[in-house]
Amino acid sequence: MRLPLAALALILAALPAAAQEEFDLEGTVAMCVSCHGEDGVPVAPEFPVISGQQYFYIYTQLRDFGAGRRDNDIMTPISADLSRDQAKLVAQAIAEMPWPEIAAEAEEGDRAAAESAFTAGQCSACHGKWQGDSRIPRLAGQQSDYLIQTMLDLKHKTRANAPDMSNIMADMDEDQIGAMGRYLATLTVQ
Amino acid sequence: MKMIKTLLAAGMVAGAVANSATAQEETTSSTLYGDMQYVTQDMLTRADGDGNNFLHTNHNYAQTRYYPASQINTSNVGKLRPAWIFQTEVVDTMETSPIVVNGVMYVTTAFNHVYALNARTGEQIWHHKHSMGPVTTYCCGPNNRGVAVAGGKVFMGTLDAKLVALDAKTGKQLWETQIAEPELGYSETMAPSVVEDMVLIGTNGGEYGIRGFVKAFDTETGELKWTFHTTPENSVGVWETHDATGRDMLRDIEAEKAALAELGDPYETLGGGVWQNPAVDLETRRVYFVVGNPSPDLDGSLRPGDNLYTDSLVAVDLDTGEYVCHFQYIAHDVWDLDAVSPPIITMVKDENGNDVKGILHGGKTGHVYVHDADDCSLIRFSEAMVPQENMWVLPTADGARMLPGANGGVEWSPMAIDPNLRLSYVINLHQPMTYHVESTPYPEGKLWLGGAFKVIPEEEQWGNVSAVDYDTGQIRWKVRTEQPMIGGILATAGGLVFTGEGNGLFKAYNSENGSELWRFQAGAGVNAPPSSYTVEGTQYIVVAAGGNAQLNYKRGNNIIAFTLSD
């Protein structure tokens, strides 16, 4: 879901003046895209596409990084410096950017293996058509390396901010996770 | 509660992006039937005998889904053909019950679009797209199960936990009310119900640690009139060790009592969503509804006690929302085998063979439960409609297999009855699953299952349509389907029942014996409850074919109306 610019203006209007004056939104977003891609294509395959990702998902991840619920050497210190309102501004600005087109290929058998795993985990109950909505991230068209690493991190609980996802991934093996990651990367972004 | 008149300028809604008043995207108005879209209370009250309209989600306040028209019947249903197909702009999961008022049909889609259609031709009259706030939290799919109608208004609950009132002629929004906080897991997918000057609505959120409720709002203003919390401040109950059918649920009562002393009553995050419409008894001025699972679904260690009134039939006073009676099917549920399918009011035989006013509910356990409406007590439960194995094994870290799986039995799908045949018609799932538990603290609005229920991919899944004699509890007939069933069913005075499947088939059965009399391939999952109506002397059957997110059935965007070919 993307919010119109008018909505961003409303957020800005609602923030305390001091928070707006002291916060360099443009500079912060520039820092984000230095890794995640000015054109939305991340500079490394293991970095996620965030340009055009769901606003509330980005916001919750920033908050979770900042609070230590999700740990990453780069993201944790950056996020820890953001207030709640600043995190909303950053999330909004990133969500407003277009999702990039990134070529991806699945391997033979990936689709069937992925769909079997989706059934076992009842993944579509939350992830729907893989486009994301609000707190549910878009998975369609995401970088496969990032998706696979994320699912492995959830499985091994090295990513701890979505415990029920860890429970669902616990029984998935690496072949299933690989198939899901590669297949999801090929899906059309709607 | 925050109520926002949509006439307010956007700038007045300080800091509330969710309430941005940029929403009005209504299209043109072209009323086709004069001023007859006005729905009176008398029409709503007498809906059970109305063979022209379809005014309630489940046709009438008793929720029988028994349609009194018989032009389409067992002798001619083989000639049923599509009269028109309307395609919405949203290709996604559809659970809408079409509502028909004097030739105008109201349907909804995923993400809260509402369409008014000419029920005879399928022509669009207007389209309203809800202006969704940035925060939504919902399970299981961006569903909407339809609107309620009353007066000149159409009412809808939204994924961002609002109740909106639209002008029935134009689709323009008249008011909206924030029901609860979506960031904490509240959302609306059920259709509201209207009684007199009240709109009744429950809430989703049992997978997110909400505190469930049914609320009544003023139809004219959207102001809150009363709230019934489904998890009372003392949710402990009587430490019930057996389920409604008498089976031991293997509770460790001593451990729970120790947890209660340490943790206190868990009612504030105990779940107890109400997913479906209440049945309304205007004679006694009572409202009957069923309450969903406790939160977290699989982890009972954090919520000692019976977890009242989760997994229960509950009756409250229509005018005040005060508690009247309840019956709990599963105390301290750790399997998510909760109560979701909407209850039905009808006369039933009691233990002595006397006719009493009864309440029927189809459970995820696979039983139809029959209650005495007077005190909610259980009269009987039916034979199991699906296999039950290993009940009630407790969830484990590695997973314990038990049947039914967590989707049922009977999911949210409404039942229907034929009061002449004394049969209830029920659609079921058979999905073998393993139940896993892993205790995690309340995550403030994130998914909170306390484990996982996992489909066993190697095991066959299927569904069935069952006809259950509610006076005896015996299954009269049962037809197996290729896939687990979710959506709903309609019975008619033509001796028919209609229901759809995930593979796109929409079928008519002989309601007396279950023989299949007609089928149509809709091209996408038919996982919504059918309706019927009559316009200019012609009876129609209508259903949405949009697939289902929860079971990942093929998505579509069709509303298909059928009538007899010449």
Side-chain angles (χ1 to χ4, degrees):
Chain A
M1 175 188 322
R2 292 185 187 163
L3 297 180
L5 287 174
L8 181 57
L10 269 179
I11 295 179
L12 284 165
L15 290 178
Q20 295 179 53
E21 289 169 7
E22 295 167 5
F23 181 54
D24 179 7
L25 174 61
E26 194 175 331
T28 304
V29 171
M31 177 174 60
C32 298
V33 302
S34 66
C35 288
H36 291 283
E38 288 187 20
D39 57 355
V41 180
V43 300
E46 65 270 26
F47 293 169
V49 174
I50 60 169
S51 173
Q53 184 55 279
Q54 299 292 329
Y55 155 76
F56 195 63
Y57 175 76
I58 299 172
Y59 167 71
T60 55
Q61 298 312 301
L62 289 172
R63 297 295 294 165
D64 285 353
F65 279 126
R69 291 185 289 267
R70 182 177 177 184
D71 189 40
N72 179 279
D73 289 344
I74 300 170
M75 289 305 302
T76 298
I78 291 173
S79 305
D81 287 341
L82 296 174
S83 70
R84 185 180 293 265
D85 289 334
Q86 290 167 347
K88 284 183 178 176
L89 286 173
V90 173
Q92 184 63 46
I94 298 290
E96 287 285 319
M97 297 163 62
W99 186 278
E101 284 189 26
I102 302 175
E105 284 189 15
E107 297 175 5
E108 189 176 346
D110 276 350
R111 178 174 180 164
E115 288 185 345
S116 174
F118 295 153
T119 298
Q122 300 192 83
C123 303
S124 66
C126 290
H127 287 283
K129 294 165 66 178
W130 321 110
Q131 304 300 317
D133 184 38
S134 188
R135 66 166 73 238
I136 304 295
R138 184 191 305 279
L139 304 182
Q142 183 57 276
Q143 303 237 82
S144 61
D145 284 7
Y146 169 75
L147 287 170
I148 292 167
Q149 188 59 51
T150 299
M151 285 186 275
L152 290 171
D153 288 347
L154 289 164
K155 174 182 172 68
H156 299 304
K157 299 183 180 176
T158 49
R159 177 172 166 178
N161 70 329
D164 277 324
M165 278 301 302
S166 292
N167 295 330
I168 292 166
M169 299 309 301
D171 290 340
M172 302 280 186
D173 63 34
E174 293 195 6
D175 289 342
Q176 288 175 302
I177 287 172
M180 285 191 286
R182 289 187 296 272
Y183 174 64
L184 287 167
T186 67
L187 296 181
T188 305
V189 175
Q190 297 172 358
Chain B
M1 182 186 68
K2 191 190 310 179
M3 194 184 76
I4 296 154
K5 295 280 186 183
T6 52
L7 294 177
L8 289 175
M12 295 174 67
V13 190
V17 175
N19 298 325
S20 161
T22 58
Q24 307 306 302
E25 299 185 20
E26 291 72 27
T27 58
T28 57
S29 165
S30 58
T31 305
L32 299 178
Y33 292 86
D35 196 32
M36 291 185 67
Q37 283 172 275
Y38 194 87
V39 178
T40 65
Q41 181 58 44
D42 187 58
M43 289 166 69
L44 291 170
T45 303
R46 296 171 186 269
D48 57 339
D50 187 343
N52 290 313
N53 301 310
F54 203 96
L55 300 178
H56 300 266
T57 309
N58 297 308
H59 187 245
N60 47 56
Y61 281 132
Q63 307 208 110
T64 62
R65 298 194 69 78
Y66 178 76
Y67 201 71
S70 59
Q71 185 181 83
I72 299 167
N73 56 54
T74 52
S75 69
N76 60 23
V77 68
K79 296 179 180 177
L80 208 57
R81 301 286 184 272
W84 53 260
I85 299 174
F86 177 79
Q87 296 185 314
T88 72
E89 73 173 49
V90 182
V91 184
D92 210 333
T93 181
M94 293 186 82
E95 298 184 353
T96 187
S97 284
I99 298 295
V100 182
V101 183
N102 290 304
V104 177
M105 180 183 297
Y106 302 97
V107 293
T108 62
T109 71
F111 301 106
N112 293 115
H113 291 234
V114 190
Y115 291 87
L117 308 174
N118 180 326
R120 188 174 59 81
T121 65
E123 176 192 3
Q124 179 178 312
I125 300 170
W126 53 256
H127 169 209
H128 174 92
K129 178 182 179 182
H130 175 61
S131 177
M132 196 75 73
V135 182
T136 55
T137 308
Y138 51 80
C139 171
C140 302
N143 298 303
N144 185 271
R145 287 190 275 282
V147 301
V149 291
K153 296 188 183 72
V154 172
F155 302 93
M156 174 176 66
T158 67
L159 292 175
D160 53 353
K162 291 176 181 174
L163 177 64
V164 299
L166 310 178
D167 184 319
K169 289 182 185 173
T170 66
K172 287 192 181 301
Q173 185 169 303
L174 301 172
W175 53 257
E176 69 176 31
T177 294
Q178 190 73 52
I179 298 172
E181 175 52 65
E183 195 165 335
L184 294 177
Y186 295 88
S187 67
E188 296 293 346
T189 57
M190 68 179 282
S193 296
V194 178
V195 194
E196 297 166 352
D197 62 347
M198 289 181 286
V199 190
L200 307 179
I201 194 162
T203 183
N204 299 353
E207 278 61 50
Y208 300 92
I210 57 129
R211 186 184 185 196
F213 54 73
V214 172
K215 290 177 183 279
F217 295 93
D218 187 289
T219 53
E220 289 302 313
T221 65
E223 290 178 356
L224 181 67
K225 295 175 82 75
W226 55 254
T227 300
F228 174 81
H229 286 291
T230 58
T231 61
E233 292 184 19
N234 182 348
S235 66
V236 172
V238 297
W239 304 103
E240 179 59 64
T241 56
H242 290 67
D243 75 353
T245 67
R247 282 172 284 201
D248 191 338
M249 296 181 293
L250 306 178
R251 287 175 69 179
D252 185 342
I253 299 296
E254 291 311 310
E256 284 187 48
K257 287 182 175 176
L260 181 67
E262 180 185 347
L263 303 171
D265 197 296
Y267 72 94
E268 287 182 298
T269 57
L270 190 52
V274 176
W275 291 81
Q276 284 281 41
N277 301 70
V280 178
D281 185 346
L282 288 173
E283 190 176 71
T284 59
R285 299 198 70 76
R286 289 181 178 182
V287 177
Y288 295 87
F289 52 87
V290 289
V291 181
N293 60 282
S295 299
D297 300 47
L298 293 135
D299 176 18
S301 69
L302 300 177
R303 47 177 174 81
D306 291 354
N307 304 151
L308 295 176
Y309 299 106
T310 64
D311 290 38
S312 299
L313 170 71
V314 176
V316 302
D317 183 279
L318 170 62
D319 298 298
T320 64
E322 289 178 4
Y323 169 89
V324 174
C325 62
H326 84 281
F327 180 89
Q328 190 171 36
Y329 302 104
I330 303 169
H332 194 77
D333 175 12
V334 289
W335 306 272
D336 192 18
L337 284 179
D338 58 342
V340 202
S341 178
I344 295 172
I345 304 174
T346 191
M347 297 303 289
V348 301
K349 297 288 186 193
D350 70 6
E351 300 91 336
N352 302 314
N354 300 316
D355 277 322
V356 297
K357 187 182 288 181
I359 308 291
L360 309 180
H361 165 64
K364 276 192 181 175
T365 52
H367 297 289
V368 173
Y369 299 96
V370 182
H371 301 263
D372 187 327
D374 183 54
D375 61 0
C376 296
S377 62
L378 186 68
I379 296 174
R380 68 180 59 85
F381 58 90
S382 75
E383 298 176 78
M385 296 174 284
V386 292
Q388 297 176 329
E389 294 179 21
N390 217 15
M391 289 170 80
W392 294 100
V393 66
L394 295 172
T396 64
D398 294 330
R401 180 181 179 277
M402 188 182 87
L403 300 179
N407 291 327
V410 190
E411 245 286 356
W412 56 265
S413 315
M415 301 192 299
I417 65 166
D418 185 323
N420 302 309
L421 297 174
R422 314 283 285 195
L423 294 177
S424 54
Y425 302 100
V426 198
I427 62 172
N428 282 277
L429 304 90
H430 171 71
Q431 275 190 305
M433 288 191 191
T434 50
Y435 292 79
H436 305 246
V437 63
E438 170 113 5
S439 189
T440 54
Y442 171 63
E444 298 182 352
K446 289 181 180 170
L447 189 66
W448 195 32
L449 301 179
F453 5 75
K454 300 180 183 178
V455 174
I456 305 171
E458 299 79 22
E459 293 199 38
E460 188 183 15
Q461 302 182 39
W462 43 263
N464 71 48
V465 186
S466 298
V468 174
D469 183 330
Y470 45 78
D471 287 335
T472 66
Q474 293 178 336
I475 296 171
R476 178 75 58 83
W477 57 260
K478 187 159 66 174
V479 177
R480 182 162 158 157
T481 59
E482 188 179 69
Q483 294 168 300
M485 295 281 282
I486 196 166
I489 192 162
L490 176 76
T492 77
L496 300 166
V497 292
F498 292 89
T499 188
E501 302 176 23
N503 56 17
L505 289 173
F506 184 48
K507 295 178 179 174
Y509 300 91
N510 183 315
S511 56
E512 197 161 357
N513 58 30
S515 60
E516 183 186 319
L517 299 177
W518 172 83
R519 64 166 60 188
F520 178 81
Q521 174 52 251
V526 182
N527 305 114
S531 302
S532 186
Y533 60 97
T534 303
V535 179
E536 295 173 359
T538 299
Q539 185 188 356
Y540 296 77
I541 304 291
V542 62
V543 74
N548 182 267
Q550 186 173 353
L551 300 182
N552 207 20
Y553 291 148
K554 185 184 175 187
R555 311 302 201 282
N557 62 340
N558 294 323
I559 303 291
I560 310 176
F562 301 88
T563 192
L564 296 172
S565 60
D566 295 332

